[in-house]
């Protein structure tokens, strides 16, 4: 594992004598690391802390952890995970045949499209085997994780995002993962999710790949506040295509341009094609090269981060805990862009696996869509639209390409064997903002140099600085200056308990934080007046 030079210097100069390091706490530490959750792990953790080992020795053992050889090298493995909503969902992991448990291995998280469908992919293993990005990544020596989502567990809701995070941590617990070489990528909804994670939850990742996605989907469909400048912290490789029926280049170009002008680190390419990954043969070598050139910078000296909620306030060693209302600082400006929604959307999920002639409706999308207005129901089979016979989803797409927002339309469906005629109209084109703005955001600009951290804040009441031994000389006081005032000046004491708790939460050996510095800029009492 690549370690920061200062980290090793501290470890060598201050190493604990070998006799002092020995003890029963090492067995307790092994129990802590092997257990997933539960009271046994908590008891073992308490035993380790009570033994009082030096934090440097504990860190060394965490970094030197050994891993077993999985029995599925070179093969896709289907597993099940109980998500935070109590529902068990499938996922796939692929470990390359070249995997050596003594060597740190990159990890790629691949997210599928169509995540808002009611049903999960019927054959996850086949999906993974046939995905060219998965195949290329495995051939390049990466471990690949494929979560599978659905309505209620999408890439931009609490359940689906937690699912992704849990699977990354499982991979890190079971395999020797290179913490700074973890990446995320996907197509369509998977690409939109990559944009989202770059803006709200980038800490696990070195870079993102967004293929034929929409930067605003996580905000619009997930009801999340997102901020383009946050993509300055983690680069994105983005591709759109000229004839994409959902997100064509001409429609997405203004969003990427706005983000780049706001400071986002986006390598953007426009290619011929529709809403498919037909350009994979020529693009995959470029994507893999991009990922290889963009490992995570775990401890960047500069961080700029914006959020409206504490759930998405963390970027590397900075965490925003509370945002308040009020006038923003002059340098805190909003970056957004207005768009026109003129897409033809009926508002239902179809059964992609159905072999019936027509389009089988699996569920109706919630909200004010034409489907609910005309009375379309689950299990209806759409067989005609404006007199055009529909034998498949491809036929439906052809019909949609010939109508516009505001047009009247007529559908004929088979409902329990009876033909039913449904008349309606498509909504007029609507203006909307790329990112939702329903709550005020706070923003921090942070600079770490030596034992000093300089902060510029806007609408921030409380934050914390995470302390890593490669950032500071822990024998000397650390100084934090916020908006010109010294808000902290003291020696920071490393804590074994804190380090282990953070490690168990993140499973990140590269970022073994040993303490945190809480900074309160506006008290609860003052903000309530």
């Amino acid at each position: 594992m690549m370690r920061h030079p200062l980290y090793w210097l501290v470890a060598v100069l201050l190493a604990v004598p070998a006799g002092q390091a020995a003890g029963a706490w090492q067995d307790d530490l092994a129990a802590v690391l092997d257990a997933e959750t539960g009271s046994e792990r908590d008891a073992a953790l308490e035993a380790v802390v009570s033994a009082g080992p030096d934090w440097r020795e504990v860190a060394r053992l965490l970094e030197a952890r050994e891993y077993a050889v999985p029995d599925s090298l070179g093969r896709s493995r289907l597993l099940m995970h109980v998500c935070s909503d109590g529902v068990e969902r499938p996922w796939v992991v692929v470990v390359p045949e070249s995997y050596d448990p003594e060597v740190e291995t990159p990890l790629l998280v691949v997210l599928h499209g169509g995540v808002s469908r009611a049903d999960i992919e019927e054959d996850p293993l086949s999906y993974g085997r046939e995905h060219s990005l998965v195949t290329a990544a495995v051939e390049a020596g990466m471990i690949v994780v494929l979560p599978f989502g659905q309505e209620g567990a999408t890439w931009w809701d609490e359940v689906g995002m937690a699912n992704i995070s849990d699977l990354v941590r499982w991979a890190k617990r079971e395999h020797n993962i290179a913490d700074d070489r973890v990446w995320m990528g996907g197509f369509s909804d998977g690409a939109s999710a990559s944009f989202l994670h770059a803006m709200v939850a980038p800490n696990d990742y070195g870079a993102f790949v967004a293929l034929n996605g929409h930067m605003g989907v996580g905000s619009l469909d997930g009801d999340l506040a997102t901020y383009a400048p946050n993509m300055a912290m983690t680069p994105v490789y983005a591709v759109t295509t000229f004839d994409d029926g959902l997100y064509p280049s001409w429609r997405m170009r203004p969003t990427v341009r706005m983000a780049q002008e706001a400071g986002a680190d986006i390598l953007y390419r426009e290619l011929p094609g529709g809403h498919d990954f037909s350009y994979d043969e020529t693009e995959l070598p470029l994507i893999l090269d991009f990922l290889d050139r963009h490992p995570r910078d775990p401890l960047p000296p500069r961080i700029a981060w914006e959020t409206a909620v504490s759930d998405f306030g963390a970027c590397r060693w900075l965490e925003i805990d509370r945002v308040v209302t009020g006038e923003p600082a002059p340098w805190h400006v909003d970056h957004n862009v207005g768009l026109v929604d003129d897409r033809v959307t009926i508002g239902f999920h179809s059964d992609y696996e159905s072999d019936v002639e027509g389009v089988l409706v699996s569920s109706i999308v919630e909200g004010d869509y034409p489907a609910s207005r005309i009375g379309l129901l689950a299990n209806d089979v759409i067989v005609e639209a404006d007199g055009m016979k529909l034998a498949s989803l491809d036929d439906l797409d052809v019909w949609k390409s010939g109508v516009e927002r505001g047009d009247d339309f007529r559908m004929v469906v088979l409902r329990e064997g009876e033909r039913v005629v449904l008349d309606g109209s498509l909504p007029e084109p609507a203006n909307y903002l790329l990112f939702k703005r329903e709550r005020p955001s706070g923003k921090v600009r942070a600079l770490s140099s030596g034992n000093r951290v300089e902060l510029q804040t806007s609408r921030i009441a409380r934050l914390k600085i995470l302390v890593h031994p490669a950032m500071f000389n822990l024998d000397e006081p650390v100084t934090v200056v916020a908006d010109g005032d010294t808000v902290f000046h003291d020696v920071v004491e490393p804590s074994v308990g804190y380090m282990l708790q953070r490690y168990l939460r993140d499973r990140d050996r590269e970022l073994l934080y040993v303490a945190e510095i809480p900074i309160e800029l506006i008290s609860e009492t003052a903000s309530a007046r």
Side-chain angles (χ1 to χ4, degrees), residues 74-78 91-95 108 110-112 121-139 144-148:
R75 295 187 289 110
S76 301
R77 183 181 175 194
L78 179 65
W91 65 287
V92 171
V93 60
V94 189
V95 180
L108 178 64
V110 176
L111 303 180
H112 64 77
E121 177 73 34
E122 187 174 302
D123 189 352
L125 278 175
S126 294
Y127 178 89
R129 294 190 187 106
E130 296 167 3
H131 201 301
S132 57
L133 178 57
V134 174
T135 301
V138 173
E139 290 177 352
V144 178
V145 163
L146 296 97
F148 286 86

Side-chain angles (χ1 to χ4, degrees), residues 81-84 89-91 107-112 115 145-150 153-172 182-185 189-190 192-194 196-197 200-201 204-205 208 506:
H81 175 61
V82 179
C83 298
S84 59
R89 294 182 174 88
W91 65 287
L107 172 67
L108 178 64
V109 179
V110 176
L111 303 180
H112 64 77
V115 74
V145 163
L146 296 97
F148 286 86
Q150 64 183 140
T154 67
W155 307 142
W156 32 81
D157 64 35
E158 185 176 353
V159 175
M161 294 182 75
N163 184 28
I164 296 170
S165 179
D166 289 346
L167 300 186
V168 169
R169 275 137 191 79
W170 180 94
K172 289 188 172 189
V182 178
W183 304 293
M184 174 188 286
D189 276 353
S192 301
S194 290
L196 173 68
H197 279 73
V200 302
D204 287 327
Y205 305 99
F208 298 90
D506 301 333

Side-chain angles (χ1 to χ4, degrees), residues 172-186:
K172 289 188 172 189
R173 190 178 71 245
E174 298 296 322
H175 304 91
N176 192 359
I177 300 296
D179 290 311
D180 288 339
R181 303 189 74 80
V182 178
W183 304 293
M184 174 188 286

Side-chain angles (χ1 to χ4, degrees), residues 234-420:
T234 316
V236 179
Y237 188 108
V239 176
T240 64
T241 47
F242 301 135
D243 299 317
D244 188 327
L246 292 177
Y247 311 129
S249 296
W250 66 266
R251 188 189 301 275
M252 295 297 99
R253 190 179 305 129
T255 70
V256 175
R257 184 182 301 120
M258 177 277 297
Q260 291 173 329
E261 290 174 354
D265 186 356
I266 302 176
L267 191 162
Y268 177 56
R269 287 171 57 75
E270 296 182 352
L271 301 175
H275 193 71
D276 56 62
F277 195 22
S278 58
Y279 52 86
D280 57 350
E281 185 175 344
T282 56
E283 204 67 14
L284 280 171
L286 302 177
I287 291 171
L288 295 178
D289 178 68
F290 177 84
L291 295 179
D292 186 58
R293 291 185 290 106
H294 288 90
R296 180 184 65 173
D297 182 357
L299 298 171
R302 293 181 182 272
I303 293 177
W305 196 251
E306 184 172 6
T307 186
V309 294
S310 60
D311 289 348
F312 302 125
C315 182
R316 307 299 190 257
W317 47 266
L318 175 74
E319 293 188 359
I320 297 172
D321 288 334
R322 190 160 66 89
V323 175
V324 294
T325 58
E327 288 297 317
W331 49 267
H332 179 190
V333 297
D334 189 33
H335 297 273
N336 212 332
V337 62
L339 299 174
V340 177
D341 184 4
D342 57 4
R343 294 177 300 159
V344 174
T345 302
I346 306 302
F348 69 91
H349 299 298
S350 56
D351 186 339
Y352 287 82
E353 308 299 329
S354 171
D355 56 3
V356 303
E357 185 171 353
V359 177
L360 177 59
V361 177
S362 61
S363 65
I364 305 300
V365 178
E366 294 183 6
D368 186 22
Y369 288 96
S372 59
R373 287 195 226 134
I374 65 176
L376 192 67
L377 300 177
N379 298 317
D380 282 350
V381 179
I382 306 172
V383 293
E384 288 184 20
D386 291 333
M388 175 182 172
K389 295 190 180 301
L390 306 183
S392 65
L393 280 169
D394 289 340
D395 291 339
L396 179 65
D397 289 338
V398 171
W399 170 76
K400 287 168 63 176
S401 68
V403 296
E404 296 180 352
R405 294 281 283 259
D407 288 350
D408 295 330
F409 69 94
R410 168 170 289 184
M411 284 186 167
V412 178
V413 304
L414 293 181
R415 181 177 295 168
E416 297 180 352
E418 299 291 330
R419 287 173 64 88
V420 179

